[in-house]
Amino acid sequence: MEQKNVFEPISGFDLPRFAGLPTFMRLPHIGLDDPKLSDVDVGLIGAPWDAGTTNRSGPRHGPRQIRDLSTMIRPQHGVTGFRPFDHKNCADLGDVAPNPANLEDTLKRFENFYTKILSQGILPLTVGGDHLCSLPILRAIASKTPVGLIQFDSHTDLYHSYFNGQLYTHGTPFRRAVEENLLDPKRIVQIGIRGTNYDSEDRDFAKNEGIRIITIEEFFQRGINDVMNEVRTIVGDYETYLSYDIDFIDPAYAPGTGTPEVGGPNSFQALEVVRKLTGLKLVGADVVEISPPFDPSGGTAFLGSSILFEILCVMLSS
Ligand code: MN
Ligand code: MN
């Protein structure tokens, strides 16, 4: 009998998918001290932290729920036939441990965790957590050279501060990342922006820095192919981070999130936009803002798991 690759997900034919310990996509769990860590190409990482959430909290419970729902993912892509786990070694690296009582300490813990992962040559694919989680990840990834950013979101997350000068919330991560020279503003593109605003401060910042905002009106008017071709042109062939906020999707399809905005893409479109990124130079990605307390059916977490699989296929087919 042929020896099975240790990094293969547990097959639903060997063990029913409702059985066993849930890991991301039924992949093996490889801890940071495991000698097999150096064999990992893509690390799926849980970021159970939502101290940046300003209104309805809950994404700290996201990784556990997505580990459960991602047991539904089979190893072969339904449209392209691509089998990501045949190409590279993927593993569940567990959770980065936050300090729920101290925000700045948590940011440092995240940065240290990702610095260690990156030093092993592992491509990080993170499940949040709220959108503030992206900032310490970028601090590790872009410590030397700023990278581009493709952000699916209904919000810009470019505000300066909240609540009397608080700099670190899920509404500010990309403002900080630009200030800290982690992102090249000319290579940032935000897709799906909509909803009511406090004011135009975030948009003014984007305009001054040359950040491209594609509103949901423009997205639907032009269509996915045209918009995603522009996205590819903006980031080019250089290192780019992909950040997918689940509130990009219409709350009719993804209600399990803290800051929903109506009038967004459906589940089909939510997957298709990712598929258009094949071939880009992605240095990491995350799916954030899935909030199990607002997701009693698990449908949002399942959609998030499906997006995670699309991202994995794109990362490994480049
Ligand atoms: Mn966001
Ligand atoms: Mn958002």
Side-chain angles (χ1 to χ4, degrees), residues 24 45-50 52-53 56 58-63 66 96 110 114 124-138 149-157 169-171 173-174 241-249 254-260 284-292 295 300-301 303-305 307-308 311:
F24 290 126
I45 298 158
W49 190 49
D50 58 15
T53 302
R56 308 193 305 164
R60 68 178 60 182
H61 304 294
I66 290 186
V96 49
F110 269 57
Y114 283 87
L125 176 50
T126 302
V127 175
D130 71 32
H131 225 154
L132 182 57
C133 295
S134 303
L135 177 63
I137 299 172
L138 285 169
L149 173 72
I150 299 169
Q151 179 189 348
F152 296 105
D153 205 324
S154 62
H155 315 98
T156 65
D157 300 345
T169 78
H170 68 162
F174 302 115
Y241 190 75
L242 168 61
S243 195
Y244 202 122
D245 184 328
I246 201 78
D247 70 33
F248 167 69
I249 303 156
T257 193
T259 321
D286 59 46
V287 179
V288 297
E289 298 285 354
I290 293 165
S291 183
D295 186 30
T300 309
L303 180 50
S305 301
I307 291 166
L308 206 61
I311 293 175

